[in-house]
DNA sequence: TTTACTGCAAATATTTTGCAATATC
DNA sequence: GATATTGCAAAATATTTGCAGTAAA
């Protein structure tokens, strides 16, 4: 399975990162990495914590925060803050070349693959700055919400024309 | 002055937004808008609040939060969450076509104008989604930090070769 | 006059920190 | 055995909420 290969590669990368920094390879750290690389969705700390609890694997919240930081630092996990309070995370893997469509009405986030964009960005250079990665957030209104808005506008108009 | 024109236009837009939504035109709301459109930098709620206090203009934090929300909704202010806890904001104005270079070492944020990018993005369409705007965050390492890292790597090497 | 808005303080939510116990190296 | 890491609880931080008083329409 492609999934498994990715996970194995991630573990290897994490391992050599920890070794390089002379940090310890605790079971908690690898359990968290494993969990993250077993799902495809965005997640927040709370839901990651709960999903580990569901597997009867207990780690403290502090450890989840600590481990996520390490994973972000070594490039295995990406942090997002889409506008709400809690940070969202996602594994860095096959879907590296995608951006996020964020509906400003309902807050839903949709991922969109766009390999062309990656090519476009790779040609870019910035003064006095070495790029490691980038994230594009596209804000707008999803069709679902657009329909709702149109409907409510229409009924507003009816109301007004009635009053007049 | 270009600056003043932008501010006047912003006030007019806010006014008609408030009227359209049947919200009240309170002095607090316009004082906050005025303050925001008098500066060019990113800011957070706390610093906006303090900068109003410095002018001996007191508004409660709750009102600042409330007003910023309105300004975001009507497209006069943009909210960013660059990875730290508190949200950053910026006025939407002349510099609409820029992105943000974020140094993952020191956290400093640099704005970069890139009109070409705007053109590229305007040609983009996404399924079942109506774009209102987008933000590109470019993460990497600024030259300042790069130099520091290189220096410390070099001294690490020296240390090791000494020990050996 | 009506009721939306403000200010304040308390509540909530998220993340960070201190410290004793534990487990890795 | 030395010390980095964990878990827990408390602290810190950022934002939201409830409510009584005030002011815009």
């Amino acid at each position: 399975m492609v999934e498994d290969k990715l996970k194995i590669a991630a573990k290897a990368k994490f391992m050599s990162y920890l070794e390089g920094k002379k940090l310890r390879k605790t079971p908690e750290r690898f359990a968290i990495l494993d969990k993250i690389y077993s799902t495809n969705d965005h997640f927040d700390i709370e839901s990651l914590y709960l999903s580990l609890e569901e597997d009867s694997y207990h780690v403290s919240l502090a450890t989840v925060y600590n481990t996520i930081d390490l994973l972000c630092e070594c490039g295995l996990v990406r942090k997002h803050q889409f506008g709400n309070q809690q940070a969202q995370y996602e594994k860095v893997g096959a879907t590296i070349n995608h951006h996020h469509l964020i509906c400003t009405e309902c807050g839903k986030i949709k991922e969109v693959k766009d390999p062309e964009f990656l090519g476009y960005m790779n040609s870019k250079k910035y003064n006095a700055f070495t790029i490691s990665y980038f994230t594009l957030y596209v804000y707008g209104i999803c069709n679902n919400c657009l329909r709702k808005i149109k409907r409510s506008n229409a009924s507003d108009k009816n109301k007004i024309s009635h009053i007049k």
Side-chain angles (χ1 to χ4, degrees), chain A:
Chain A
M1 243 185 270
V2 181
E3 173 68 356
D4 273 351
K5 262 193 206 163
L6 193 63
K7 201 194 274 187
I8 290 164
K11 274 183 200 170
K13 189 175 181 183
F14 194 31
M15 206 160 267
S16 73
Y17 175 81
L18 293 174
E19 276 166 12
K21 292 237 167 184
K22 296 203 183 7
L23 301 172
R24 290 182 183 171
K25 304 187 204 87
T26 66
E28 288 84 358
R29 285 176 177 168
F30 284 94
I32 290 166
L33 174 65
D34 191 272
K35 190 79 214 172
I36 293 170
Y37 270 74
S38 298
T39 50
N40 288 307
D41 301 321
H42 293 122
F43 59 90
D44 54 51
I45 295 291
E46 189 68 16
S47 66
L48 175 57
Y49 170 83
L50 288 175
S51 125
L52 284 160
E53 289 288 307
E54 266 178 37
D55 295 353
S56 309
Y57 192 91
H58 179 75
V59 264
S60 70
L61 262 176
T63 299
V64 180
Y65 275 105
N66 163 27
T67 303
I68 272 276
D69 276 356
L70 294 175
L71 292 170
C72 285
E73 274 164 34
C74 77
L76 286 167
V77 167
R78 206 84 64 185
K79 182 178 184 180
H80 294 284
Q81 307 238 125
F82 292 119
N84 41 359
Q85 255 350 77
Q86 57 189 6
Q88 304 266 108
Y89 300 86
E90 65 180 340
K91 71 181 181 199
V92 173
T95 55
I96 192 154
N97 52 341
H98 69 276
H99 11 276
H100 296 92
L101 306 185
I102 303 153
C103 178
T104 50
E105 288 296 313
C106 64
K108 241 177 234 147
I109 293 150
K110 213 167 106 186
E111 292 187 7
V112 185
K113 287 187 187 170
D114 189 346
E116 187 218 2
F117 180 77
L118 199 71
Y120 173 78
M121 284 306 297
N122 279 340
S123 69
K124 290 230 165 252
K125 289 233 166 77
Y126 297 104
N127 242 351
F129 196 84
T130 310
I131 302 178
S132 1
Y133 64 97
F134 36 75
T135 57
L136 177 66
Y137 299 159
V138 181
Y139 294 88
I141 299 178
C142 71
N143 270 11
N144 226 0
C145 290
L146 197 62
R147 244 176 275 127
K148 275 184 210 161
I149 292 168
K150 276 186 189 161
R151 223 178 293 143
S152 91
N153 280 356
S155 72
D156 277 4
K157 236 185 224 167
N158 286 345
K159 247 186 263 166
I160 290 166
S161 59
H162 254 273
I163 292 163
K164 280 188 181 172

